[in-house]
């Protein structure tokens, strides 16, 4: 149980285009989802927290207009990187948590390369 | 704000031996959770062990155990009978026990297993 999937696992896009990453909880209802970014050989950096049906809460320094997060259902959250640039190339990881639970379940991550 | 410090960027251990990874944290709260996560080359985050701060007994999961010293704000991970599959990045993380509190990660320790 407690499986979180991400799609795609790897995406290449051209500079200036937008790319959407999906995060799904497969066997539980995720009232809260988190999006992280991880640069090579570094730790996970939280980008934003989203609650189903509400606007996401972004961490300081994260551009909300560039990283659009939607959590429209209890099993799906999406991260859209708008007008991507090479510096947005990174590994993006989502996690999900059930209501009144404390443990987060992590997706397998998405590698984004912007050329 | 919570902080988590892992002072060992890299560690190595002989196969079948025991290794201890260090973690210290800082928080003004008394109710929280502590976690150790493993990130193998696949980059999937895997929960190794968790500890509730209100529990004095140290958590144990098979070959993995922790030494939780609340007053010292220390949370080390001991891996016994190290196996080749234990090679990974290990992240210590802290989470408060209220609201939609987020995980705060340390910078990680890369563990190498020597055959």
């Amino acid at each position: 149980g407690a499986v979180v999937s991400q799609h795609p696992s790897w995406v290449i896009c051209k500079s200036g285009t937008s790319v959407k990453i999906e995060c799904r909880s497969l066997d539980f209802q995720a009232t809260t989802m988190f999006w992280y970014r991880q640069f090579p050989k570094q730790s996970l950096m939280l980008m934003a927290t989203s609650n189903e049906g509400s606007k996401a809460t972004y961490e300081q320094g994260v551009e909300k207009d560039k990283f659009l997060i939607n959590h429209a259902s209890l099993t799906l959250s999406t991260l859209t990187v708008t007008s991507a640039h090479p510096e947005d190339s990174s590994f993006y990881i989502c996690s999900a948590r059930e209501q009144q639970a404390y443990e987060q379940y992590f997706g397998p991550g998405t590698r984004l390369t912007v050329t | 704000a919570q902080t988590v410090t892992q002072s060992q960027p890299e560690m190595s251990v002989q196969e079948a031996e025991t290794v201890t990874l260090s973690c210290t944290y800082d928080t003004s709260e008394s109710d929280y959770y502590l976690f150790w996560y493993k990130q193998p080359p696949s980059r999937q985050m895997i929960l190794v062990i968790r500890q509730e701060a209100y529990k004095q007994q140290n958590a144990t999961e098979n070959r993995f155990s922790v030494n939780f010293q609340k007053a010292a704000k220390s949370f080390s991970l001991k891996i016994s009978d190290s196996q080749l599959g234990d090679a990974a990045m290990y992240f210590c993380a802290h989470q408060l026990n209220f609201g939609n509190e987020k995980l705060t990660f340390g910078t990680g320790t890369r563990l190498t297993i020597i055959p």
Side-chain angles (χ1 to χ4, degrees), chain A residues 38 43 51 59 97 102-103, chain B residues 39 50 95 101-102 106:
Chain A
Q38 186 179 32
S43 188
N51 292 300
E59 294 298 301
R97 188 167 70 195
Y102 66 86
E103 185 169 339
Chain B
Q39 189 179 43
R50 70 172 73 83
Q95 179 178 303
E101 286 306 321
K102 57 192 179 185

Side-chain angles (χ1 to χ4, degrees), chain A residues 49-70:
Chain A
T49 302
S50 72
N51 292 300
E52 186 264 338
S54 302
K55 288 185 178 181
T57 301
Y58 290 81
E59 294 298 301
Q60 191 172 9
V62 178
E63 299 176 62
K64 63 178 66 176
D65 294 331
K66 180 169 187 60
F67 299 99
L68 301 179
I69 292 172
N70 183 277

Side-chain angles (χ1 to χ4, degrees), chain A residues 90-108:
Chain A
S90 189
F91 193 68
Y92 293 87
I93 304 173
C94 74
S95 70
R97 188 167 70 195
E98 293 180 276
Q99 188 174 21
Q100 297 185 338
Y102 66 86
E103 185 169 339
Q104 296 181 27
Y105 301 99
F106 286 83

Side-chain angles (χ1 to χ4, degrees), chain A:
Chain A
V3 178
V4 176
S5 69
Q6 278 185 245
H7 178 80
S9 57
W10 185 34
V11 58
I12 301 174
C13 70
K14 292 188 176 181
S15 186
T17 62
S18 296
V19 61
K20 179 183 288 187
I21 302 169
E22 293 185 348
C23 176
R24 293 182 184 272
S25 57
L26 299 185
D27 51 4
F28 66 98
Q29 294 187 325
T31 52
T32 305
M33 286 185 168
F34 303 85
W35 286 95
Y36 298 85
R37 186 173 181 177
Q38 186 179 32
F39 290 107
K41 299 185 178 181
Q42 293 190 21
S43 188
L44 279 70
M45 181 191 78
L46 180 66
M47 300 174 66
T49 302
S50 72
N51 292 300
E52 186 264 338
S54 302
K55 288 185 178 181
T57 301
Y58 290 81
E59 294 298 301
Q60 191 172 9
V62 178
E63 299 176 62
K64 63 178 66 176
D65 294 331
K66 180 169 187 60
F67 299 99
L68 301 179
I69 292 172
N70 183 277
H71 190 172
S73 79
L74 286 171
T75 58
L76 174 66
S77 176
T78 59
L79 166 67
T80 301
V81 182
T82 62
S83 186
H85 291 285
E87 56 264 32
D88 299 324
S89 298
S90 189
F91 193 68
Y92 293 87
I93 304 173
C94 74
S95 70
R97 188 167 70 195
E98 293 180 276
Q99 188 174 21
Q100 297 185 338
Y102 66 86
E103 185 169 339
Q104 296 181 27
Y105 301 99
F106 286 83
T110 297
R111 181 180 303 280
L112 170 63
T113 301
V114 184
T115 61

